[in-house]
Amino acid sequence: METPTDQRLRRSETQPFRPQAAEGAAAAAAGGDFSAIIIVFFFFIVILCLVTFQSTILHQVPEGHVGVYWRGGALLNTITEPGLAMVSIKMPSITQFEPIQVTLRTDQVRDIPCGTKGGVMINFEKIEVVTRLHKDYVYETLLNYGVQYDKTWIYDKIHHEINQFCSAHSLQQVYIDMFDQIDEKMKDALQGDCTRYAPGIEIISVRVTKPTIPESIMHKFEQLEQERINVLISIEKQKVAEKEAETRKKIAIIEAEKNAHVNKILMQEKLTEKDIARMQEEIENQTNLAREKSLADANFYRLMKEAEGNKLKHIDQLMLLVEVVKLVVTQLPPFYLETKMHEQLRLVQTIYSLFRNFPTRKQV
């Protein structure tokens, strides 16, 4: 096959030599080579400008985020705060900006199949993980795990931990007995690995929805749940009956204690009333006794005075009478003293003895 160079040589051999045409062709070839050199030099200058040119980029960082930058795929250690950010960057045409969230975020991991210890396949339709990336660890976390760090430490990790949990427990434990513990177990497992390998990621909480189980097993669980509810109802009824009996017993005890207390108070009141009545009676007796004593003393004093007056008034007659009785007694025979008049005579003798020492009117 004939090349363009061969054709050009063949035409030059067949055509007569023209000096002017040869000079024009040489000049055209020289001009074409110079244009190519200029184009290459221009591209070199442009690339050099891109490499050495530094400009200020004005952009917006959303609230709750920080600005992170890559140059040619390499992560820069420049971190900007929320708001309008003015960053002086070399080679802006190959520099990429990305806002990274540093507030609470919720990742939803869906459709997680797992097999229980007994071999039953179940499926967790949705698990929500609330996380937060600390601002001080943004550069380190993105440098090690990239912008999709949550895929490594949330999405993939939650699949692994759920399968580990299911394979170590039976369906009864996963679906009923230990379901309320899955949230905390997942949170502790995720946080443990994040603290060790990605300390900037904080696991706030994990919310696990009820897994989906086969229909036949679900029906059995519903029956078991209904029986359990019936048992619980019976237990609650028994507790209510016991509580009512205990309440009635307490009410009876309270009533008995109240009545005993009331009776005690009433008895105390009666005793107090009796004590008061007794004290009043004693006071009245003492008052009456004092009054009677005063009256008796007054009467005795009056009688004594009257007796003294009468004694002074009739002393002479009494003395004369005593003398007569004495004379009569001395004149009686001795045997007469043993008669019935013995006592009367002794009385007269006693009276004589009493009045013998009384002063007479003349002595007074």
Side-chain angles (χ1 to χ4, degrees), residues 90-131:
K90 292 182 179 180
M91 301 189 314
S93 60
I94 60 173
T95 300
Q96 178 186 359
F97 160 75
E98 185 76 25
I100 302 298
Q101 186 175 353
V102 292
T103 56
L104 297 181
R105 54 178 291 177
T106 302
D107 295 319
Q108 294 185 353
V109 186
R110 296 183 176 276
D111 296 330
I112 306 174
C114 66
T116 63
K117 186 177 181 180
V120 179
M121 292 299 299
I122 61 177
N123 183 66
F124 289 87
E125 294 183 356
K126 181 178 68 173
I127 296 179
E128 294 181 346
V129 183
V130 182
T131 62

Side-chain angles (χ1 to χ4, degrees), residues 10-276:
R10 185 171 53 79
R11 283 196 300 269
S12 61
E13 290 177 355
T14 55
Q15 293 179 358
F17 178 72
R18 297 177 181 180
Q20 294 180 353
E23 292 177 359
D33 294 338
F34 182 74
S35 299
I37 293 173
I38 292 176
I39 292 172
V40 171
F41 180 74
F42 175 76
F43 278 109
F44 176 76
I45 294 298
V46 169
I47 293 174
L48 181 64
C49 290
L50 291 176
V51 172
T52 59
F53 180 68
Q54 181 172 347
S55 64
T56 300
I57 301 176
L58 178 63
H59 58 280
Q60 182 180 3
V61 179
E63 185 64 40
H65 297 67
V66 293
V68 183
Y69 306 88
W70 287 263
R71 181 188 298 139
L75 179 66
L76 304 180
N77 58 0
T78 302
I79 305 294
T80 55
E81 297 293 332
L84 289 176
M86 298 182 63
V87 183
S88 180
I89 301 177
K90 292 182 179 180
M91 301 189 314
S93 60
I94 60 173
T95 300
Q96 178 186 359
F97 160 75
E98 185 76 25
I100 302 298
Q101 186 175 353
V102 292
T103 56
L104 297 181
R105 54 178 291 177
T106 302
D107 295 319
Q108 294 185 353
V109 186
R110 296 183 176 276
D111 296 330
I112 306 174
C114 66
T116 63
K117 186 177 181 180
V120 179
M121 292 299 299
I122 61 177
N123 183 66
F124 289 87
E125 294 183 356
K126 181 178 68 173
I127 296 179
E128 294 181 346
V129 183
V130 182
T131 62
R132 176 170 56 193
L133 178 61
H134 288 280
K135 188 185 300 184
D136 298 336
Y137 291 88
V138 170
Y139 176 77
E140 180 182 350
T141 303
L142 297 184
L143 182 64
N144 293 327
Y145 307 107
V147 178
Q148 302 297 329
Y149 64 89
D150 55 345
K151 182 180 184 304
T152 302
W153 294 110
I154 304 300
Y155 290 91
D156 296 343
K157 186 66 177 174
I158 202 70
H159 276 80
H160 173 72
E161 293 299 333
I162 284 292
N163 278 274
Q164 289 288 100
F165 181 81
C166 290
S167 62
H169 298 88
S170 64
L171 179 61
Q172 173 74 19
Q173 292 174 324
V174 175
Y175 193 72
I176 296 178
D177 297 341
M178 300 181 65
F179 178 75
D180 58 337
Q181 304 176 21
I182 298 179
D183 296 348
E184 290 298 324
K185 288 184 178 295
M186 294 300 105
K187 178 179 178 298
D188 295 339
L190 294 178
Q191 188 63 69
D193 286 344
C194 287
T195 302
R196 183 177 179 182
Y197 298 105
I201 303 174
E202 179 185 3
I203 307 299
I204 305 299
S205 65
V206 177
R207 297 187 291 268
V208 180
T209 58
K210 203 75 169 178
T212 303
I213 63 176
E215 289 294 333
S216 58
I217 300 177
M218 174 66 73
H219 182 65
K220 292 181 180 179
F221 271 114
E222 290 176 353
Q223 291 178 347
L224 291 175
E225 185 67 17
Q226 185 62 40
E227 293 178 358
R228 188 178 69 86
I229 291 174
N230 294 334
V231 172
L232 290 177
I233 291 174
S234 301
I235 294 174
E236 289 300 323
K237 288 182 178 180
Q238 183 178 357
K239 289 182 179 179
V240 170
E242 292 176 355
K243 196 69 176 178
E244 290 178 351
E246 184 178 355
T247 302
R248 288 194 297 269
K249 180 180 177 181
K250 288 183 178 180
I251 292 174
I253 293 173
I254 292 172
E255 288 292 334
E257 290 178 352
K258 183 183 70 174
N259 294 332
H261 188 64
V262 170
N263 293 332
K264 182 178 179 180
I265 293 174
L266 295 176
M267 184 65 68
Q268 190 67 32
E269 289 180 354
K270 290 181 180 180
L271 293 175
T272 304
E273 291 176 356
K274 289 183 178 180
D275 290 339
I276 293 173

Side-chain angles (χ1 to χ4, degrees), residues 282-305:
E282 290 179 355
I283 293 172
E284 290 178 358
N285 292 336
Q286 291 178 358
T287 304
N288 294 331
L289 180 60
R291 184 173 61 253
E292 293 294 333
K293 185 177 180 181
S294 299
L295 294 175
D297 291 341
N299 193 21
F300 177 75
Y301 179 77
R302 181 178 58 80
L303 292 177
M304 289 295 295
K305 289 298 182 180

